[in-house]
Amino acid sequence: MAGGVRYFTEETFAFLRDLKANNDRDWFKANKDRYEAHVKEPAIRFILDFDPHLQKISTHYRADPRPVGGSLFRIYRDTRFSKDKSPYKTHTGIRFMHGTDRDVHAPGFYLHIEPESVFVGVGIWHPSSPTLRALRDAIVDDPKAWKRARDDKRFRTRFELSGDSLSRPPRGYDADHPMIEDLKRKDFIGSYQIDDAEVTSAGFLRSFAAGCRDAAPFVKYLCQAVGLPF
């Protein structure tokens, strides 16, 4: 049964810790088999096995097992515009995106695996200006719908709202609006932390699926606000 499988192991975290200490191409080349066996291959199996759970949440979302261009983020960093020229990410990321919008900034579900920093995230991180305006306008048009999604009991029991916010009210919105603190948001995301030991447990797929189900009302609201079906 897929729900009883152990996907990630202590070897997953050992590789990521070693990569952090040896973030260069020669080391990675010598240890690429470890990456394939303990990070990439388990992640692809996890993505495949999560798909039936995801379809029960929304048939508009994809669990894409392709090693390039799919749900698994590349381990390689884009260093073109960064002062940090380290060639590799020291975590692995898995995203489950909306099937009608390939933009990474559409509402989605995300798993971040990093030693002592594992978390589940949902929502929209750093949306484009038009998307951000659509979200803010939706809050202004129907504040009660936003509050229902934001304060959904199952969602807030597990998730904490996070992300960046403006220090001042956004231009074009009433500074005295009762939802002004939410209108200041630049990110519409929720997240919760997970112990490393839970990630390596046989029940992790089930617990991750439960977290995504709890976030469904929040993600549904965001989809509807930006014109995507849920």
Side-chain angles (χ1 to χ4, degrees):
M1 179 179 177
V5 173
R6 292 177 72 238
Y7 298 89
F8 306 102
T9 67
E10 176 52 37
E11 290 293 336
T12 305
F13 291 104
F15 172 83
L16 294 172
R17 284 191 293 267
D18 290 347
L19 178 59
K20 186 175 183 178
N22 303 275
N23 199 330
D24 64 73
R25 290 180 175 83
D26 288 342
W27 185 90
F28 187 83
K29 183 177 180 180
N31 289 270
K32 190 172 182 180
D33 288 348
R34 292 177 61 198
Y35 168 70
E36 297 280 345
H38 301 301
V39 179
K40 184 177 179 179
E41 291 175 5
I44 290 174
R45 292 197 302 271
F46 184 87
I47 291 164
L48 279 167
D49 287 349
F50 181 62
D51 187 59
H53 298 271
L54 184 60
Q55 295 308 302
K56 291 180 180 178
I57 295 170
S58 170
T59 57
H60 293 286
Y61 277 80
R62 299 176 293 113
D64 187 340
R66 290 178 298 162
V68 177
S71 293
L72 179 65
F73 278 97
R74 286 162 49 89
I75 193 71
Y76 307 98
R77 293 183 64 246
D78 183 352
T79 62
R80 291 173 298 172
F81 308 108
S82 175
K83 292 181 180 180
D84 179 4
K85 298 302 181 182
S86 302
Y88 304 104
K89 300 171 186 174
T90 55
H91 65 271
T92 192
I94 300 172
R95 62 184 178 186
F96 299 99
M97 298 307 300
H98 199 281
T100 60
D101 192 331
R102 294 185 60 82
D103 185 349
V104 69
H105 302 305
F109 303 88
Y110 175 70
L111 172 62
H112 181 99
I113 299 177
E114 182 176 5
E116 299 181 3
S117 185
V118 181
F119 67 86
V120 174
V122 298
I124 309 179
W125 182 75
H126 286 12
S128 65
S129 294
T131 299
L132 189 55
R133 175 168 288 279
L135 291 165
R136 289 171 174 161
D137 287 349
I139 293 173
V140 171
D141 291 344
D142 192 347
K144 290 183 179 179
W146 163 244
K147 288 178 69 175
R148 283 195 300 271
R150 182 195 66 185
D151 299 335
D152 178 81
K153 184 176 180 180
R154 289 173 59 189
F155 174 62
R156 293 306 294 272
T157 296
R158 191 185 295 261
F159 288 86
E160 180 178 354
L161 290 174
S162 56
D164 295 335
S165 292
L166 297 170
S167 58
R168 299 175 61 82
R171 183 177 300 178
Y173 296 87
D174 183 0
D176 296 322
H177 193 281
M179 298 286 104
I180 192 58
E181 293 306 313
D182 288 318
L183 293 175
K184 289 181 183 178
R185 294 184 184 277
K186 295 166 65 177
D187 300 311
F188 284 80
I189 56 176
S191 64
Y192 68 92
Q193 297 285 326
I194 299 175
D195 291 337
D196 293 4
E198 182 176 344
V199 178
T200 62
S201 72
F204 179 57
L205 182 70
R206 290 193 299 269
S207 65
F208 176 73
C212 293
R213 286 195 299 272
D214 288 347
F218 181 72
V219 177
K220 180 178 181 179
Y221 173 87
L222 298 179
C223 283
Q224 293 174 338
V226 300
L228 294 173
F230 188 90

